């Protein structure tokens, strides 16, 4: 199934879905060296975001979070792509400077139709998300 | 968002990767906030300079960019005085990283003056209606409110992108309708000097990110407006405020009074001074006094020099300003430093790790009062410039 969405950071990638209903503050929530969610209060605590299609509502916290996404890419532990309910500037800017495809405002609510482990393709240049089933 | 053919070309990577990323950031932000187009800017001021705030992550990104800025661009304060860091108590490893950050910006054609008051610099004059891409919250507030220019509070990467492209997305405070006041603040007493910072410190908490219009009994000077705006932006997230009969938009556009009203009286203002002066029943003992948040204007430098002339201070005192203003008035710097106070350039008490070496700081800035306890883990006490100098312990007067 191909679902339309808005493109925020261009590029395309495929990966396994890792989904959370919690917003993410990349500064503080994510270890830039390992790509592990290190905030005990976070739904994804202890999970690796490396190579995943990370689905979360939106970013939050310090604007330094944008640079943390860049560090994740440099360290080879960044997500393959990201899907937001609605993107805000911290994650949008971070995704662009890091070259991580990012989309938001999917025509179908990603929290209804996607679950952990699904394989999806995010094409942020054309503006769609494709599920394999 | 409508893009010109030239902008499309840049977005497709025909002008290189750095510019492609830069315009992609501007377009993404424009899309998020519903901008119709990109508009030319006159200058940019770029946050994300102190190693204390951006760390290795930021340094890596900036170092990897290539290209030159298209409009005059300048930096936010760094984490240390770029020349006298050792004297400030900054360690060598931090200093090395800080120098690398500033050098990386310089490579992009950015002027390496590090200040929150770019409007005092040569080449950064601001006229009514100018569109800018500035970052630092007090500079944004001053340019929008006191000078009548138009800028959003840009993040580090978006201000840098705007500087590289020479444009920013047309949304927020660039638009007339977003600049109208939505909350009235009645100030029922005469204010002077640091009272304005106390007012901003109080009112910002209620106003949040909205646009207020102040109705005042006294007529604030530009320096007083500077401290009001800085405090409003720190305790709230105010990027634009108006003062009836004083600020340029309010004078020209004759805004209607908003329905919602906040009232502030003399007792509220006095409480800011009194509350921060005590811990329980004991008077707080300060070990450092800092002024110049935002960075001192030439007038403020002159006033401080006159007050310190011929005196010797017992405690550490920092007078923060931009290097350009300090260099312009060597005789004022000399007078201030003869008292034992330090004229600290390129940085301030909030963004420098050197401030963490103290226990209790006295400030005359509502902005510093908001940030010093959380960002430096140092308690803060509020007072006028006169009280600050008194607190620094005047030994002899000639």
């Amino acid at each position: 199934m191909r679902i339309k969405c808005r493109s925020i950071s261009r590029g395309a990638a495929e990966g396994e879905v890792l989904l959370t209903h919690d917003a993410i503050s990349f500064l503080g929530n994510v270890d830039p060296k390992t790509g592990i969610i290190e905030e005990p209060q976070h739904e994804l605590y202890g999970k690796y975001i490396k190579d995943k299609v990370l689905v979360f509502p939106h970013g939050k916290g310090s604007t330094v979070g944008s640079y943390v996404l860049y560090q994740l890419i440099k360290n080879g532990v960044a997500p393959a792509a990201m899907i937001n309910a609605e993107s805000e500037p911290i994650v949008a800017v971070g995704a662009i400077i890091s070259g991580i495809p990012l989309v938001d405002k999917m025509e179908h609510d990603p929290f209804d139709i996607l679950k952990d482990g699904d394989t999806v393709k995010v094409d942020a240049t054309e503006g769609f998300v494709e599920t394999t089933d | 968002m409508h893009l010109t053919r030239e902008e499309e070309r840049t977005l497709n990577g025909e002008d290189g990767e750095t510019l492609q990323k830069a315009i992609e950031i501007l377009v993404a932000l424009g899309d998020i906030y519903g901008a119709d187009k990109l508009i030319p800017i006159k200058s940019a001021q770029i946050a994300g300079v102190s190693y204390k705030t951006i760390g290795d992550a930021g340094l890596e990104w900036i170092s990897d960019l290539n290209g030159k800025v298209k409009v005059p661009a300048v930096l936010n304060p760094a984490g240390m005085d770029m020349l006298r860091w050792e004297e400030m108590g900054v360690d060598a490893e931090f200093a090395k990283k800080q120098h690398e950050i500033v050098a990386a910006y310089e490579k992009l054609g950015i002027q390496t003056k590090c200040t929150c008051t770019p409007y005092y610099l040569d080449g950064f004059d601001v006229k009514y209606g100018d569109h800018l891409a500035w970052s630092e919250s007090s500079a944004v507030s001053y340019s929008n409110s006191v000078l009548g220019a138009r800028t959003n509070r840009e993040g580090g990467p978006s201000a840098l992108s705007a500087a590289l492209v020479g444009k920013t997305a047309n949304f927020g405070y660039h638009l007339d309708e977003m600049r109208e006041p939505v909350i009235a603040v009645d100030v029922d007493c005469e204010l002077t000097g640091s009272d304005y910072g106390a007012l901003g410190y109080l009112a910002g908490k209620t106003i949040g990110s909205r646009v207020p219009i102040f109705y005042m009994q006294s007529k604030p000077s530009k320096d007083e407006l500077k401290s009001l705006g800085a405090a409003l932006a720190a305790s709230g997230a105010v990027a634009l405020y108006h003062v009836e009969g004083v600020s340029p938009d309010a004078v020209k556009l004759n805004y209607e009074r908003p329905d919602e009203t906040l009232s502030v009286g003399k007792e509220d203002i006095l409480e800011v001074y009194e509350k921060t002066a005590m811990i329980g029943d004991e008077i707080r003992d300060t070990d450092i006094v800092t002024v110049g948040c935002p960075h001192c204007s030439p007038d403020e430098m002159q006033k401080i020099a006159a007050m310190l002339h011929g005196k010797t201070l017992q405690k550490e005192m920092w007078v923060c300003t931009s290097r350009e203003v300090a260099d312009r008035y060597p005789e004022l710097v000399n007078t201030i430093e003869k008292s034992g106070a330090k004229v600290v350039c390129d940085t301030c008490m909030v963004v420098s790790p050197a401030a963490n070496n103290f226990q209790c700081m006295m400030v005359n800035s509502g902005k510093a009062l908001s940030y010093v306890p959380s960002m430096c883990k140092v308690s803060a006490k509020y007072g006028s410039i006169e009280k600050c100098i008194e607190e620094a312990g005047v030994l002899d007067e000639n």
Side-chain angles (χ1 to χ4, degrees):
Chain A
M1 186 169 60
R2 188 178 271 208
I3 306 143
K4 271 196 196 163
C5 51
R6 183 167 73 169
S7 165
I8 298 287
S9 169
R10 306 209 292 183
E14 200 175 280
E16 244 181 48
V17 167
L18 179 65
L19 183 144
T20 175
H21 295 85
D22 290 351
I24 298 178
S25 167
F26 279 88
L27 182 73
N29 288 175
V30 186
D31 178 359
K33 290 195 179 70
T34 60
I36 295 176
I37 304 281
E38 58 181 359
E39 165 57 50
Q41 303 301 316
H42 201 279
E43 194 185 355
L44 296 183
Y45 177 56
K47 295 263 168 66
Y48 282 91
I49 61 172
K50 180 182 185 228
D51 297 335
K52 298 281 196 262
V53 172
L54 189 60
V55 184
F56 58 110
H58 50 79
K60 63 168 185 177
S62 166
T63 53
V64 176
S66 302
Y67 304 120
V68 173
L69 276 160
Y70 192 73
Q71 264 191 321
L72 289 168
I73 273 284
K74 284 274 180 163
N75 294 333
V77 293
M82 298 188 287
I83 301 173
N84 284 159
E86 191 163 354
S87 296
E88 47 58 62
I90 303 168
V91 172
V93 167
I96 293 167
I97 65 177
S98 315
I100 302 170
L102 168 67
V103 298
D104 75 346
K105 294 193 166 174
M106 272 172 63
E107 274 187 355
H108 299 288
D109 186 348
F111 296 97
D112 286 344
I113 58 167
L114 301 178
K115 60 176 191 309
D116 281 356
D118 289 354
T119 301
V120 297
K121 182 183 176 190
V122 176
D123 189 328
T125 306
E126 297 302 321
F128 67 83
V129 171
E130 201 165 62
T131 56
T132 46
D133 46 279
Chain B
M1 194 163 154
H2 174 76
L3 296 181
T4 65
R5 203 174 299 167
E6 199 189 344
E7 290 161 358
E8 287 282 2
R9 224 184 47 211
T10 307
L11 189 61
N12 291 328
E14 289 173 45
D15 298 320
E17 198 187 343
T18 294
L19 269 183
Q20 183 183 24
K21 292 279 178 200
I23 202 163
E24 211 180 329
I25 287 174
L26 300 180
V27 170
L29 295 177
D31 282 341
I32 289 172
Y33 292 110
D36 57 344
K37 60 181 176 184
L38 298 179
I39 49 170
I41 53 162
K42 193 176 177 189
S43 62
Q45 186 242 6
I46 298 158
V49 180
S50 174
Y51 181 62
K52 178 175 162 181
T53 45
I54 68 166
D56 291 316
L59 171 58
E60 271 194 54
W61 175 61
I62 301 152
S63 307
D64 288 345
L65 299 173
N66 291 298
K68 289 277 181 259
V69 294
K70 291 208 174 60
V71 294
V74 69
L75 296 175
N76 213 32
M80 60 185 202
D81 187 301
M82 295 302 288
L83 301 177
R84 294 167 65 183
W85 51 270
E86 213 162 356
E87 224 178 291
M88 281 181 81
V90 172
D91 73 66
E93 178 59 19
F94 184 96
K96 181 175 164 278
K97 296 280 190 179
Q98 188 61 73
H99 280 294
E100 282 174 29
I101 292 172
V102 171
Y105 278 121
E106 190 169 23
K107 202 185 73 184
L108 300 170
I110 295 157
Q111 300 183 36
T112 57
K113 301 161 183 173
C114 303
T115 182
C116 50
T117 56
Y119 39 86
Y120 297 141
L121 304 180
D122 286 338
F124 288 86
D125 58 312
V126 173
K127 292 194 182 62
Y128 185 82
D130 282 346
H131 293 280
L132 315 170
W134 286 14
S135 290
E136 197 278 325
S137 67
S138 79
V140 166
S141 169
Y142 194 87
S143 61
N144 270 328
S145 314
V146 183
L147 305 174
R150 296 178 173 224
T151 178
N152 290 313
R153 185 175 168 180
E154 302 270 4
S158 72
L160 179 51
S161 299
L164 289 163
V165 176
K167 293 175 183 175
T168 194
N170 189 32
F171 67 89
Y173 297 113
H174 294 286
L175 306 173
D176 290 340
E177 60 269 29
M178 300 301 287
R179 299 176 64 89
E180 285 178 16
V182 295
I183 176 170
V185 184
D186 281 323
V187 184
D188 310 327
C189 56
E190 295 269 330
L191 301 179
T192 180
S194 56
D195 296 343
Y196 286 95
L199 170 63
Y201 177 78
L202 285 174
K205 293 176 188 172
T206 308
I207 297 165
S209 60
R210 295 178 290 171
V211 179
I213 181 163
F214 288 85
Y215 296 86
M216 301 214 193
Q217 312 246 332
S218 38
K219 194 175 175 199
S221 68
K222 280 193 170 178
D223 283 331
E224 288 168 335
L225 290 170
K226 177 174 76 169
S227 60
L228 170 63
L232 283 168
S235 80
V238 177
L240 163 65
Y241 65 93
H242 305 289
V243 180
E244 177 71 4
V246 176
S247 62
D249 272 349
V251 169
K252 275 186 199 243
L253 304 172
N254 229 339
Y255 292 120
E256 262 180 48
R257 190 190 160 95
D259 294 334
E260 189 179 340
T261 297
L262 172 71
S263 291
V264 179
K266 193 76 195 176
E267 65 285 1
D268 302 314
I269 301 287
L270 289 175
E271 210 185 307
V272 176
Y273 295 98
E274 286 159 9
K275 250 193 175 165
T276 62
M278 312 288 285
I279 306 178
D281 294 337
E282 291 198 15
I283 294 175
R284 274 191 172 149
D285 196 20
T286 55
D287 51 358
I288 183 169
V289 172
T290 65
V291 298
C293 169
H295 279 169
C296 285
S297 66
D299 276 358
E300 288 169 318
M301 289 291 283
Q302 192 146 32
K303 191 175 165 193
I304 293 163
M307 291 171 74
L308 290 175
H309 182 77
K311 294 180 180 161
T312 304
L313 302 178
Q314 285 176 297
K315 289 181 188 168
E316 180 93 357
M317 178 171 177
W318 295 359
V319 178
C320 302
T321 189
S322 59
R323 185 161 306 280
E324 184 167 318
V325 166
D327 285 350
R328 228 184 274 161
Y329 302 97
E331 71 291 352
L332 296 180
V333 172
N334 198 23
T335 306
I336 292 169
E337 297 220 319
K338 265 193 180 158
S339 75
K342 290 181 182 137
V343 174
V344 172
C345 300
D346 317 312
T347 187
C348 74
M349 65 297 272
V350 176
V351 296
S352 174
N356 306 20
N357 302 337
F358 299 90
Q359 303 297 320
C360 180
M361 184 184 288
M362 187 156 183
V363 298
N364 69 337
S365 154
K367 173 175 179 160
L369 182 64
S370 299
Y371 283 147
V372 163
S374 62
M375 287 186 66
C376 314
K377 309 278 181 271
V378 173
S379 66
K381 181 171 169 179
Y382 196 65
S384 64
I385 181 68
E386 291 81 6
K387 287 280 182 201
C388 280
I389 289 174
E390 201 183 304
E391 184 86 11
V394 177
L395 265 188
D396 27 76
E397 286 191 51
N398 308 325

